[in-house]
Amino acid sequence: MEITLTVNGAARTVDVADNALLVDVLRESLGLTGTHVGCDTSQCGACVVHMNGDAVKSCTVLAGQADGADVTTIEGIGDPDALHPMQEAFRDNHALQCGFCTPGMIMSAIDLVQKGGGSLDETAVRDGLEGNLCRCTGYHNIVKAVLAAQSSM
Amino acid sequence: MEQAGESRIAQPRDRVWRALNDPEVLSRCLDGCKSMTRVGDGEYEAEVGAKVGPVKATFKAAISLNDVVEPESYRLDVEVKGGAAGFAKGSALVNLEEVAGDDGDETLLTYQINGNIGGKLAQIGSRLVDAAARKMAARFFERIKVDFDTA
Amino acid sequence: MASETGIGASVKRKEDARFITGAGNYTDDINAAGQTYAVFVRSPYPRAKINGVDTAAAAATDGVVAVFTGADLAADEIGDLPCGWLVKSKDGSDMVAPPHPPIATQAVNYVGEPYAVVIGETLEAAKNGAEAVDADFEELPAVVDLATAASADQIHESVPNNQAYDWELGDKAATDAAFDNADHVATVDIVNNRLIPNAIEPRAALGEYDAAAGTYTLHTTSQNPHLERLVLAAFVNVAPEARLRVISPDVGGGFGSKIFVYAEETAVIWAAGKVRRPVKWRAERSESFLADCHGRDHVTTAQLALAQDGKFLGLRVKTKANMGAYLSTFASSVPTYLYGTLMAGQYTTPAIYVEVQSLYTNTAPVDAYRGAGRPEATYVVERCVETAAREMSIDPAEIRRRNFIQPGDFPYDTPVALTYDTGDYEASLDKALEHIDYAGFGARRAASESAGRKRGIGFSCYIEACGLAPSQVAISLGAGVGLFEVGEVRVDVTGSVTVVTGSHSHGQSHETTFAQIISDKLGVPFENVTVLHGDTGRSDYALGTYGSRSLAVGGSAIISATDKIIAKGKKIAAHILEAQEDQMEFADGTFTVVDSNQSITFPEVAFAAYVPQNYPLEELEPGLSEKAFYDPPNFTYPAGAHICEVEVDPDTGVVDIVDFVAVDDFGHVVNPMIVEGQVHGGLAQGIGQALLEHGVYDDTGQLLSGSYMDYTMPRADDLPSFTVDTTVTPCTHNPLGVKGCGEAGAIGSTAAVMNAVTDALGVASVPMPATPETVWRAARGE
């Protein structure tokens, strides 16, 4: 089937299988490989993107469900010369090591801060990122980064 | 995985015994059973669709009846190969006891099941499969009971 | 040069720009024109004889390009996957390793072992083909329990008693004598739980074959591409080394699990040659659980003999180590030379005797996982010490102090084969006690008690041997390869620098740290240094990244190459400035004639080297590019003190880590921000082992903890923030005075947590992981 969605501000029309997942459309059809696949049970969060303003695990969204949706991936929030405040906070606080969970983590963190009304404390950040696994950082610096970004976003 | 249960059926024992040896009845009573074919004396092949947690597949089951003591008991051995989903195998010791009911002879069916699973079924579904198997067995023997009313 | 980007500065990472914008380049992000997809068909049985594999239906499936079985690889003379470290048993006999064909031929020996691989036009076609492969298995009873494996069914025809080896280290007679003279003996029985590494990037491979050139290129998720290439060429016989290039692009974490040479990568590169098209594979997480090498899995009894005053007299350790079904690449070395050798810990224990029996079971192979042997050793030693302290009513900090090797004792020969070069263990402990406010613990405990909660404190003073390794020592102990590292410093014509290192970075930040070193040593602006790694086509043969060695060994190689650059630069500068070479000084990027105002900058010298007009060509080659191989003279010995404070809710068994302090001595630190990050990550994994993680097989050999639903990964809300600090005794034998920091967190923390949990409950032991159920039962004395 054919679906049309807005990805990072641009309209894209893609022919997809009925059972195709959004993450595969992003990675394979659109070449947006910043969104990662780290598990097969929707639990690692490496594939988190924004769909119509909400953070979603794109491995749990059928491509068909995204027809007409507005999708933002890690590639759509900033670039090296104009980073999103969350990207900047991740860099400044050394909130990443191997970088594999980072795109999903940043996308979840942005959603968390946007919906947190500026009142997130450490516990709230830890609870809010419970759906994203990181094996490198022990989360210490990720939590610092998100709290820092909360002030700058 | 081990479980046991019983079901009282308001039918004489030899009728129950015949039903338990009739592939059509077995097929009707087994959840998700798409076909059951007799392939030899006391040996059947069945296709069963089942869903355990996130694992959903059609399984091919080889069923054989062993240690048959007509009309009292048998052991039903089931081996299921689910391809990439893994395997399941088990046996059910089925015993039929004549009991006196209000309206004539009745049968007390008791069963003991043990089995194990492997591959993806165990890897992903082990927490769920015990309950699923328990439910499947209970429904099977319940349906056997009901089947006499509708057959 | 102390600068904002030099050694000692918390420079922001070069790597981050691509990772935070989604521009990382991981193996699965790479695609080749016309690529096919591989799907492995895996055994659902822990142990079975293969009577036959029928691939006809699979081969006839729509979109299937080819189906290969173990027989196809064998027919092509593809060899077994080897173990690279020969360990000998007590009786002098060699370890026994069963044949390990990449794709099973005669038998399968763990759930998940591949017995066929299907190559498809699409991933879906390959999956459909895999579904159609029909194997005739004859099931055999599986050996699962480590404790009884030696007397169980024999798994491999060639391996009696399922034993890989029965190894010993230390002086048995002296240790026995120490126990005879002891006033007190503390005994601990320990199960070191099986862990599943779970780097968040699953393993992946893209194999390509260039038929015209006869060359193979393998992109894969390896921590050490050169080792992968060596093994695939020399042992597995995929292609001669010169016709095989292995590239590790960005790799999403390793923790040891990506050191090893695995079946899947092997089959992928081989298959690319067979189907003459690129072959792509990416593990599903379910496959990672089944077929990545697992970690730890020991059963141990240990005894510490003490004098009345708490001095350690002797240590006796008897361990069974689970190897899984086959001997993985470095599996044999982990419970021996990376374990037994660390049993002295930070202490002067004069007599130590360690016995390790390594056994096969029908489970996934077990190999190095972050810390590799050293967390197990630390757990043994520190549980013994804590137990002895409690039994003898000596303060746990005090008993350690009484037994520490003192700063004046170095170099210190332990009774278990190592020579520690330097350290100050009391300094780390003192700092840690201050951070945790040990003096205030009693009051905090009382406050918890009155709130109905149980508070405990636990210590762990660990040591590790890192910077693997002095080649001749390692080879004499059975290593099949040297363990040096290579570094190349290419000065560009304009004076910028390209560094090529054999160390691979998959989170460790080499691109930043190594650039800091160059910037510091050569005075080249940090932003003008580029670090290349992870490609056998780019760097000389090297050994890669594991064992906290990158800076201590790889960094030292870069320093050596830099020294050569400076030496040659002085010759060039002397020629241009018409001075003597020995009159030249180099500092801050400038060559100066001593006691003069004559100088020339580093870029000017570089330019002269490549445009050799005013240049001594008759005695000096043009160009400014140097390479060095660095072979460390000794291991490095990072050490530290970790203290954990917990509160346990006795009604629910939930353990809350209320404070965790890690004070580590890594020698000099190049980038404190990065080092702290490494410690944080290690702590999370060590705490994960103590409280959450457990690789579980049922008694029939099925993996029960096979997904993130059942294997408890530490998540953000499971962990506290950490207090991390350092002390410094510089390593005495490498140019940077560095020791390595990658594994420390995972080595020290587990024992600290468990000592705290047992302290809180007032019980002798609690099994790991200390889940709420386990703790709740322990609290009730069950």
Side-chain angles (χ1 to χ4, degrees):
Chain A
M1 71 177 146
E2 201 168 82
I3 61 167
T4 299
L5 63 171
T6 304
V7 180
N8 299 332
R12 309 292 295 258
T13 299
V14 202
D15 193 26
V16 301
D18 290 354
N19 62 353
L21 301 171
L22 177 58
V23 66
D24 293 327
V25 171
L26 294 172
R27 286 183 57 82
E28 310 298 332
S29 309
L30 301 178
L32 294 168
T33 55
T35 301
H36 296 154
V37 178
C39 77
D40 48 8
T41 53
S42 290
Q43 281 160 318
C44 78
C47 67
V48 169
V49 300
H50 294 174
M51 187 162 101
N52 299 328
D54 290 320
V56 296
K57 288 180 174 171
S58 61
C59 73
T60 324
V61 176
L62 287 166
Q65 290 174 279
D67 192 14
D70 187 354
V71 174
T72 305
T73 71
I74 187 72
E75 289 93 343
I77 59 165
D79 61 55
D81 300 323
L83 293 173
H84 185 281
M86 187 63 75
Q87 292 172 310
E88 209 160 323
F90 266 59
R91 188 192 60 191
D92 290 348
N93 290 282
H94 187 36
L96 62 149
Q97 291 178 26
C98 81
F100 195 79
C101 76
T102 307
M105 196 67 84
I106 287 177
M107 297 310 282
S108 287
I110 291 172
D111 187 58
L112 182 66
V113 169
Q114 280 174 347
K115 292 175 180 164
S119 62
L120 301 171
D121 61 6
E122 176 178 342
T123 305
V125 172
R126 288 185 179 276
D127 287 346
L129 294 179
E130 188 265 354
N132 291 71
L133 287 174
C134 171
R135 195 58 152 166
C136 293
T137 64
Y139 305 100
H140 181 112
N141 285 341
I142 292 176
V143 173
K144 264 171 69 181
V146 176
L147 290 172
Q150 178 173 245
S151 316
S152 58
M153 261 169 76
Chain B
M1 177 182 71
E2 286 179 17
Q3 51 185 294
E6 60 175 44
S7 174
R8 190 169 170 134
I9 303 170
Q11 297 288 336
R13 182 162 74 173
D14 58 340
R15 264 202 85 185
V16 177
W17 177 261
R18 279 201 304 278
L20 284 173
N21 282 273
D22 180 347
E24 282 198 22
V25 175
L26 297 177
S27 169
R28 271 203 302 274
C29 296
L30 184 61
D31 252 357
C33 187
K34 293 176 180 168
S35 71
M36 174 126 24
T37 320
R38 188 184 156 105
V39 292
D41 195 18
E43 292 188 10
Y44 307 94
E45 268 181 19
E47 271 195 356
V48 184
K51 184 173 180 300
V52 178
V55 185
K56 185 178 168 191
T58 295
F59 300 96
K60 277 187 191 153
I63 300 172
S64 61
L65 302 181
N66 298 295
D67 300 342
V68 178
V69 183
E70 188 177 350
E72 280 176 21
S73 64
Y74 63 46
R75 192 183 78 242
L76 184 135
D77 291 318
V78 185
E79 196 173 345
V80 175
K81 286 181 181 166
F87 69 85
K89 56 186 178 172
S91 18
L93 279 173
V94 180
N95 194 71
L96 303 180
E97 192 186 327
E98 289 188 305
V99 287
D102 296 342
D103 303 316
D105 286 349
E106 296 192 356
T107 306
L108 180 67
L109 184 158
T110 56
Y111 62 91
Q112 287 169 289
I113 294 174
N114 68 69
N116 60 294
I117 53 169
K120 198 163 238 180
L121 263 178
Q123 189 186 357
I124 309 285
S126 56
R127 287 171 301 129
L128 314 161
V129 83
D130 200 54
R134 197 178 294 274
K135 192 170 129 200
M136 210 163 165
R139 279 181 69 91
F140 174 76
F141 290 108
E142 187 57 32
R143 282 207 198 168
I144 290 272
K145 185 175 167 178
V146 174
D147 197 64
F148 287 103
D149 304 331
T150 53
Chain C
M1 183 183 74
S3 77
E4 284 174 10
T5 56
I7 292 173
S10 286
V11 185
K12 307 290 176 239
R13 301 200 314 166
K14 282 177 181 281
E15 292 88 339
D16 288 353
R18 65 179 188 275
F19 292 148
I20 57 179
T21 55
N25 185 40
Y26 301 88
T27 300
D28 192 39
D29 300 339
I30 301 166
N31 295 294
Q35 77 189 16
T36 60
Y37 296 81
V39 168
F40 289 85
V41 193
R42 298 179 184 278
S43 171
Y45 301 106
R47 185 172 171 228
K49 188 165 173 278
I50 303 175
N51 288 326
V53 181
D54 183 354
T55 59
T61 301
D62 257 6
V64 166
V65 175
V67 185
F68 299 112
T69 65
D72 295 312
L73 276 80
D76 227 23
E77 295 183 349
I78 293 300
D80 286 344
L81 300 175
C83 176
W85 197 303
L86 177 70
V87 170
K88 288 179 184 290
S89 284
K90 290 171 184 167
D91 62 8
S93 62
D94 288 351
M95 69 183 189
V96 187
H100 186 190
I103 305 291
T105 51
Q106 313 287 323
V108 285
N109 283 305
Y110 63 94
V111 171
E113 182 172 0
Y115 61 89
V117 56
V118 179
I119 314 293
E121 292 288 350
T122 62
L123 182 59
E124 195 166 18
K127 281 186 174 180
N128 289 337
E131 188 76 29
V133 172
D134 190 14
D136 178 7
F137 288 113
E138 186 180 328
E139 251 194 288
L140 297 166
V143 179
V144 184
D145 179 41
L146 173 62
T148 56
S151 54
D153 264 29
Q154 185 171 327
I155 298 170
H156 301 284
E157 209 173 303
S158 59
V159 188
N161 305 318
N162 296 321
Q163 180 184 296
Y165 52 78
D166 185 12
W167 177 85
E168 66 178 348
L169 181 68
D171 188 334
K172 184 174 191 301
T175 307
D176 287 345
F179 275 82
D180 289 343
N181 296 324
D183 295 314
H184 184 82
V185 174
T187 302
V188 297
D189 289 304
I190 287 169
V191 175
N192 208 292
N193 40 329
R194 180 181 279 244
L195 303 174
I196 304 180
N198 274 305
I200 303 299
E201 180 203 26
R203 281 192 290 128
L206 172 64
E208 294 173 85
Y209 177 65
D210 179 337
T215 54
Y216 291 81
T217 304
L218 175 63
H219 282 84
T220 190
T221 48
S222 174
Q223 296 179 220
N224 40 5
H226 281 92
L227 189 81
E228 180 100 24
R229 176 187 188 226
L230 174 68
V231 171
L232 289 177
F235 297 94
V236 182
N237 199 28
V238 168
E241 262 184 293
R243 292 201 280 116
L244 173 60
R245 179 178 177 186
V246 179
I247 300 171
S248 296
D250 287 331
V251 172
F255 317 112
S257 69
K258 290 172 179 168
I259 296 172
F260 321 121
V261 179
Y262 286 98
E264 293 86 355
E265 291 85 331
T266 303
V268 161
I269 188 64
W270 170 81
K274 299 309 279 185
V275 302
R276 304 260 166 151
R277 287 172 62 183
V279 178
K280 175 97 176 262
W281 170 73
R282 188 199 78 223
E284 295 187 347
R285 180 58 54 182
S286 306
E287 295 181 279
S288 312
F289 274 102
L290 293 173
D292 284 6
C293 281
H294 295 179
R296 316 274 196 269
D297 204 343
H298 287 191
V299 175
T300 296
T301 297
Q303 292 184 302
L304 181 65
L306 300 98
Q308 200 58 53
D309 61 358
K311 284 289 278 186
F312 305 159
L313 303 176
L315 178 68
R316 199 186 261 158
V317 180
K318 199 172 170 71
T319 292
K320 284 181 175 165
N322 200 338
M323 296 287 99
Y326 300 98
L327 212 48
S328 170
T329 315
F330 286 114
S332 54
S333 66
V334 175
T336 50
Y337 294 107
L338 295 175
Y339 172 69
T341 51
L342 276 304
M343 287 298 172
Q346 301 184 351
Y347 312 112
T348 55
T349 317
I352 298 174
Y353 181 63
V354 187
E355 293 171 280
V356 180
Q357 186 185 26
S358 284
L359 297 164
Y360 296 102
T361 59
N362 292 112
T363 62
V366 179
D367 206 324
Y369 167 65
R370 199 170 195 167
R374 291 148 292 173
E376 295 92 310
T378 299
Y379 195 62
V380 168
V381 173
E382 291 303 293
R383 286 289 296 128
C384 277
V385 169
E386 197 86 10
T387 301
R390 288 176 197 167
E391 288 174 354
M392 299 178 75
S393 300
I394 302 173
D395 178 90
E398 175 58 25
I399 200 170
R400 287 174 167 86
R401 271 185 222 286
R402 287 184 199 170
N403 289 281
F404 279 149
I405 299 162
Q406 294 301 310
D409 296 342
F410 297 101
Y412 182 85
D413 291 328
T414 74
V416 276
L418 297 178
T419 302
Y420 300 166
D421 63 334
T422 181
D424 185 347
Y425 308 134
E426 213 159 351
S428 293
L429 178 61
D430 286 340
K431 215 169 191 179
L433 289 170
E434 201 174 303
H435 279 300
I436 202 101
D437 181 22
Y438 189 48
F441 175 70
R444 294 195 296 276
R445 173 175 253 174
S448 297
E449 197 71 47
S450 62
R453 291 164 69 86
K454 293 172 180 289
R455 189 176 279 253
I457 195 163
F459 294 74
S460 173
C461 293
Y462 73 93
I463 191 159
E464 47 172 331
C466 294
L468 311 181
S471 289
Q472 290 182 346
V473 173
I475 291 167
S476 75
L477 296 176
V481 289
L483 295 171
F484 54 81
E485 193 51 81
V486 68
E488 190 178 341
V489 177
R490 298 177 187 165
V491 181
D492 304 318
V493 182
T494 56
S496 62
V497 172
T498 302
V499 176
V500 186
T501 172
S503 303
H504 183 268
S505 180
H506 34 280
Q508 295 86 345
S509 325
H510 296 1
E511 292 166 38
T512 302
T513 308
F514 291 170
Q516 283 179 257
I517 295 173
I518 292 295
S519 173
D520 199 290
K521 294 293 174 191
L522 296 180
V524 176
F526 176 73
E527 58 276 16
N528 289 352
V529 184
T530 296
V531 177
L532 303 177
H533 61 91
D535 183 350
T536 64
R538 261 178 186 164
S539 96
D540 279 54
Y541 173 74
L543 277 304
T545 295
Y546 47 86
S548 306
R549 71 192 295 271
S550 288
L551 185 59
V553 188
S556 295
I558 290 169
I559 291 285
S560 298
T562 305
D563 289 343
K564 293 184 190 180
I565 294 282
I566 294 169
K568 185 170 179 179
K570 282 183 179 173
K571 290 191 170 102
I572 300 167
H575 177 89
I576 294 169
L577 298 175
E578 296 175 348
Q580 294 301 310
E581 187 187 329
D582 59 9
Q583 293 178 290
M584 299 308 303
E585 277 181 344
F586 179 69
D588 298 339
T590 303
F591 294 91
T592 308
V593 182
V594 282
D595 302 328
S596 83
N597 57 3
Q598 284 186 286
S599 68
I600 180 169
T601 66
F602 185 75
E604 287 169 330
V605 166
F607 190 80
Y610 289 102
V611 188
Q613 190 186 15
N614 181 11
Y615 191 92
L617 274 176
E618 58 285 358
E619 54 201 57
L620 206 57
E621 291 174 12
L624 194 55
S625 176
E626 298 287 349
K627 182 195 306 174
F629 290 83
Y630 179 82
D631 204 294
N634 190 358
F635 299 94
T636 61
Y637 299 97
H642 291 188
I643 306 179
C644 177
E645 196 166 317
V646 299
E647 247 194 357
V648 177
D649 181 339
D651 295 331
T652 62
V654 171
V655 175
D656 185 17
I657 296 180
V658 291
D659 204 354
F660 197 105
V661 172
V663 178
D664 300 289
D665 177 359
F666 300 131
H668 289 310
V669 168
V670 173
N671 186 318
M673 174 192 83
I674 288 169
V675 166
E676 279 184 24
Q678 290 293 309
V679 174
H680 294 157
L683 294 177
Q685 280 169 284
I687 292 168
Q689 168 163 27
L691 298 182
L692 303 166
E693 300 181 39
H694 198 188
V696 181
Y697 285 89
D698 72 8
D699 53 13
T700 69
Q702 295 294 333
L703 181 66
L704 297 182
S705 55
S707 78
Y708 287 145
M709 294 181 288
D710 297 290
Y711 187 88
T712 316
M713 291 280 283
R715 292 177 180 272
D717 57 352
D718 293 317
L719 295 170
S721 286
F722 310 109
T723 303
V724 172
D725 204 345
T726 53
T727 57
V728 179
T729 61
C731 173
T732 60
H733 56 77
N734 65 41
L736 288 164
V738 297
K739 299 183 181 180
C741 66
E743 295 165 295
I747 290 169
S749 58
T750 309
V753 175
M754 294 311 292
N755 283 338
V757 171
T758 49
D759 182 49
L761 298 180
V763 299
S765 70
V766 174
M768 294 193 291
T771 61
E773 182 191 347
T774 304
V775 171
W776 182 80
R777 288 186 188 287
R780 295 159 60 92
E782 288 181 23

